[in-house]
Amino acid sequence: MKNISILGSTGSIGTQTLDVVRNNKDRFKVIAISANRSVDLLIKQIDEFNPKFVAVFDEESAIELKKRIPKKLDIEVLSGMDGLVKISTLEEVDVVLTAVVGMIGLVPTMEAIKAKKTIALANKETLVTAGELVMSEAKKNNVDILPVDSEHSAIFQCLNGENKEEIEKIILTASGGPFRGKTKEELINVTKREALKHPNWDMGQKISIDSSTLMNKGLEVIEAKWLFDVNVEDIDVVVHPQSIIHSMVQFKDSSVISQMGCPDMRLPIQYALTYPKRLDNDFERLNLSKVGTLTFENPDMDTFPCLRLAFDALKLGGTYPAALNSANEVLVNEFLNDKIGFYDIPYYIEETLKNHKNRINATLEDILEVDKETRLFLKDLIK
């Protein structure tokens, strides 16, 4: 039996994690869950999984939740960053699954590592903004960081039993998002509704927009550098519209190992929770004869400049990836609120990188300060 804490239980990854738990109640116990402000869904999750702790980041929503939880239930309701940190460091918790979106996941993940919790990582921003710090802290505390993203889970599985010194290339696959094959001219006036229509995956709004700009893949490139300790020059991206091959590793002898499966996030979630074992499940099985054809193409970095900008930020190093990430968070939110256009996202990210004052060997405080500076810079720029 593993005791787990889920940061972001009401989002896409969080709800699918609870589905994995639902089908393996003899193996997992949910000790704590969290959300930003989704009180109605939290009430349903509390009723089914009976956690001991619930953290609600939004203070007013936390107050509302306290009022609505039946008094007979012995549940402690927490709020704010302190609440996220507490449920990440509980003594009885074995695994912390971080599925919150954005910079909000960085501090509780770092504290969980210091508390020697196994990390099932679905929060991209943790490694994008502070990869060197996070991996160093994990090594110091002998903590496993198990990737939940389908691409990084695939690479992790491909490397099982292999000598990492013999890696030649990490090959991340991308679906291409909803606008694959489109030209710049066709995308100038696209709406958020069009951008949110991912062809293969059911994801939250922020990640769906990132997929439409290919920033999602750019963030995954940065993650891969830190997770697998490879150089940026040794990471490739290939567009694979069918989303059957989830990623690949090419070795020095020219062999390529891939991990395949139907597009279902519950598989990498389950693998992270059960590692190093594999459990039976009722997930759809891959039928290659039914799939028929697998195709591959190079990403169009002219039409989708966010991917190029992510590579650029990683090459520049220091706090450039943190600035890139913060700018993207702000701009995706602005796009979702109909305040900027689709191509304003890469434009303002590039302006942010041009104006960024880099910090080498950055501390956690430096990274959090870069986040604040970037948000203030963009607030003044997008008036």
Side-chain angles (χ1 to χ4, degrees), residues 330-373:
V330 170
L331 295 164
V332 168
N333 190 58
E334 293 288 290
F335 178 65
L336 286 168
N337 288 317
D338 301 313
K339 293 182 179 178
I340 62 172
F342 186 75
Y343 276 112
D344 288 327
I345 297 174
Y347 171 77
Y348 286 119
I349 289 174
E350 191 154 20
E351 289 300 302
T352 299
L353 295 181
K354 285 178 184 176
N355 286 275
H356 179 59
K357 295 176 182 177
N358 195 22
R359 280 86 149 170
I360 303 297
N361 299 320
T363 63
L364 182 60
E365 290 70 26
D366 289 331
I367 291 161
L368 296 174
E369 186 61 32
V370 165
D371 181 59
K372 290 179 184 176
E373 287 176 4

Side-chain angles (χ1 to χ4, degrees), residues 113 131-141:
I113 292 170
E132 188 171 10
L133 279 175
V134 171
M135 297 309 290
S136 175
E137 194 68 35
K139 185 176 181 181
K140 184 170 79 174
N141 287 283

Side-chain angles (χ1 to χ4, degrees), residues 112-273:
I113 292 170
K114 291 175 183 176
K116 302 186 187 303
K117 307 301 181 185
T118 296
I119 307 296
L121 187 66
N123 172 260
K124 298 181 190 304
E125 292 79 7
T126 293
L127 289 182
V128 170
T129 61
E132 188 171 10
L133 279 175
V134 171
M135 297 309 290
S136 175
E137 194 68 35
K139 185 176 181 181
K140 184 170 79 174
N141 287 283
N142 196 28
V143 164
D144 287 329
I145 296 184
L146 306 173
V148 169
D149 272 351
S150 62
E151 295 83 359
H152 299 106
S153 176
I155 295 163
F156 185 70
Q157 293 178 61
C158 289
L159 290 174
N160 276 349
E162 299 291 341
N163 184 350
K164 292 186 180 179
E165 302 290 323
E166 296 171 354
I167 297 173
E168 189 168 86
K169 275 196 180 293
I170 296 288
I171 305 169
L172 290 167
T173 56
S175 69
F179 302 137
R180 183 180 67 87
K182 300 288 186 182
T183 64
K184 264 189 171 181
E185 291 71 24
E186 291 174 298
L187 297 180
I188 287 174
N189 295 314
V190 296
T191 65
K192 67 182 180 186
R193 181 176 295 181
E194 293 170 300
L196 288 168
K197 291 180 180 177
H198 195 282
N200 300 335
W201 298 95
D202 180 18
M203 304 179 293
Q205 286 196 333
K206 197 270 183 181
I207 298 174
S208 294
I209 298 300
D210 282 348
S211 181
S212 73
T213 65
L214 290 196
M215 179 56 88
N216 197 45
K217 206 53 49 181
L219 299 179
E220 288 173 7
V221 167
I222 300 172
E223 279 188 282
K225 185 261 183 296
W226 297 112
L227 273 172
F228 306 110
D229 192 22
V230 293
N231 297 321
V232 60
E233 295 79 15
D234 298 330
I235 305 172
D236 281 349
V237 173
V238 63
V239 175
H240 168 51
Q242 295 80 21
S243 296
I244 296 299
I245 294 179
H246 298 299
S247 277
M248 297 170 269
V249 179
Q250 180 174 302
F251 294 91
K252 290 181 178 179
D253 64 353
S254 79
S255 295
V256 177
I257 296 178
S258 69
Q259 187 268 333
M260 306 169 71
C262 297
D264 186 341
M265 279 305 302
R266 293 175 302 167
L267 176 56
I269 291 167
Q270 178 177 292
Y271 188 70
L273 293 179

Side-chain angles (χ1 to χ4, degrees), residues 101-112:
V101 176
M103 277 283 289
I104 191 176
L106 175 57
V107 171
T109 302
M110 285 291 281
E111 292 303 313

